[in-house]
Amino acid sequence: MSAPTAVPAEISLQPSCRKTAAHALTIVRDGVITGEGPTTKGRIHFSRALDAEDAAWCTRILTVSAVEHEPVSRAEIEALFEISDAAAERTDDGRFDDLLAKAVAHHAASESGLPVPPRTVALSPDTPIESWAPVKAANIDTKVLEWIASQMRGKRHSNRRLAALVATLVGAAALPLAQLPGMLDMGLL
């Protein structure tokens, strides 16, 4: 994790592409870590805490019109995992975990050449992930699944929604026996 950066909020939190969206997410991460910064102004925010407003910042960044019709990028997913890792306490009623699971599914599907809906639809709390996300591992690139599993391995905070999604995509029957121990280590089965 890099040190918090001093960038004007009006520039950095209005992404113009997926790269600047990933950068904006690192600013949210920094606010979660320190309890200070442009995403925490005007409210009480404790360090290492993730609240509903932090989750809302992430949603706004990921669904801004400049990236709405682009698939979620690996850099954006990595930033979301960093936010998840930074938060020792959560008071967002599961909204961030839902967003993370949907963003990962959006990325996995698009990297596998599958069609994905616009981010405003796919990442909405009102849209069930089952209505658009792939349901079979055969449709997902195994390198993408391996990358997701590596991101989840050894994490302090377990995202049950994401774990259930990955377990559904992979399925115990579809795994080669050599991969089962790694999946069991992640607590997915």
Side-chain angles (χ1 to χ4, degrees), residues 18-154:
R18 296 185 311 168
K19 183 179 178 181
T20 57
H23 176 73
L25 290 170
T26 66
I27 294 170
V28 175
R29 178 208 60 212
D30 294 345
V32 168
I33 291 171
T34 65
E36 300 172 348
T39 61
T40 63
K41 283 190 177 175
R43 62 192 178 102
I44 296 172
H45 193 289
F46 298 102
S47 63
R48 297 289 179 178
L50 188 144
D51 61 18
E53 188 59 30
D54 296 319
W57 270 109
C58 293
T59 300
R60 284 192 297 272
I61 290 165
L62 289 171
T63 58
V64 70
S65 62
V67 297
E68 177 183 8
H69 296 288
E70 296 288 325
V72 177
S73 71
R74 184 170 283 199
E76 290 168 309
I77 298 298
E78 288 171 345
L80 289 173
F81 274 120
E82 289 176 2
I83 292 168
S84 182
D85 290 347
E89 181 182 332
R90 292 170 185 251
T91 58
D92 67 325
D93 294 324
R95 178 62 193 116
F96 181 82
D97 284 349
D98 180 65
L99 177 66
L100 176 59
K102 289 175 177 177
V104 167
H106 200 267
H107 173 73
S110 66
E111 284 293 303
S112 301
L114 300 173
V116 290
R119 292 178 183 211
T120 51
V121 173
L123 305 180
S124 169
D126 299 327
T127 303
I129 196 168
E130 301 80 17
S131 70
W132 62 268
V135 294
K136 295 182 181 173
N139 297 333
I140 301 297
D141 184 328
T142 56
K143 289 185 193 276
V144 174
L145 288 173
E146 289 169 1
W147 177 79
I148 293 167
S150 73
Q151 292 295 305
M152 294 173 63
R153 201 170 282 122

